[in-house]
Amino acid sequence: MTLSLFDQFSSPSFLGIPMILMALALPWLLIPTPTSRWLSNRVVSLQGWFIARFTNQLFLPLNVGGHKWAPLLASLMMFLLTLNMLGLMPYIFTPTTQLSLNMGLAVPLWLATVLIGMRNQPTHALGHFLPEGTPTALIPILIIIETISLFIRPLALGVRLTANLTAGHLLIHLISSAVFVLMPMMPTVAILTAVLLLLLTMLEVAVAMIQAYVFILLLSLYLQENV
């Protein structure tokens, strides 16, 4: 039971070739691309409106120097959102349930924000380790605590995304299995369980969108501290 439950999170392979690369390339094939026409279709217009609103809200607190990150973070938002939504469909592997992938996205971006702060304003960046007016006896302890909190940020980014998506997929798998088991024996209970499964699926759609947004939002907050 344990193997079949967690087997959905193992990376698929075909003839010994890992298919995670195809799963990562699939969102870019599905996202509509703008055309050179004066009037585009409704999907492209909706996508452009969404990206414009998202970018405007995300980069409103940042100064002009941080606006250079807009194409990167907007593209990453669309990438994560598409991956999370595709993962809710049957028989589709979700790469964002892999901690290695999420850490591979979180660590370089977090490190880039830290290096930008150290290069552009080193005094302000180092000032986060020791707030003004700290008692002398607490200086070593606060430096250690702030250093740990700084280095735990990418881990929190990756683990949050992985844990939320993994927990949702496990719940959907367990409740759907219960529906099939209860249907021949207790049809009324199975129907109520199926309604619960439908509500949980709707919740997971919201979680998939929210977690992609939270990932990018936290990166923008880290960037705001260092720009």
Side-chain angles (χ1 to χ4, degrees), residues 12 39 45 106 139 221:
L39 293 177
S45 300
I139 289 178
L221 292 178

Side-chain angles (χ1 to χ4, degrees), residues 8 10-13 17-31 78-87 91-98 101:
Q8 58 178 319
S10 61
S11 179
S13 59
I17 302 174
M19 303 299 292
I20 189 172
L21 297 178
M22 181 177 294
L24 291 176
L26 185 60
W28 302 117
L29 300 177
L30 297 178
I31 294 176
M78 293 298 298
F79 179 64
L80 292 177
L81 181 61
T82 310
L83 281 180
N84 295 347
M85 298 296 289
L86 286 175
Y91 304 107
I92 293 184
F93 174 66
T94 313
T96 45
T97 57
Q98 304 295 310
L101 173 66

Side-chain angles (χ1 to χ4, degrees), residues 81 84-85 88 172 200-210:
L81 181 61
N84 295 347
M85 298 296 289
L88 294 174
I172 290 177
L200 178 62
T201 305
M202 296 172 60
L203 176 64
E204 285 305 312
V205 171
V207 169
M209 294 187 290
I210 290 172

Side-chain angles (χ1 to χ4, degrees), residues 168-183:
H169 287 194
L170 285 176
L171 282 175
I172 290 177
H173 181 83
L174 290 173
I175 296 179
S176 60
S177 301
V179 171
F180 283 103
V181 172
L182 294 173
M183 186 61 72

Side-chain angles (χ1 to χ4, degrees), residues 53-77:
R53 295 285 296 176
F54 166 74
T55 307
N56 185 30
Q57 180 182 1
L58 192 66
F59 288 89
L60 189 62
L62 296 178
N63 55 25
V64 180
H67 293 178
K68 300 175 182 178
W69 286 62
L72 174 62
L73 294 186
S75 302
L76 184 59
M77 170 69 182

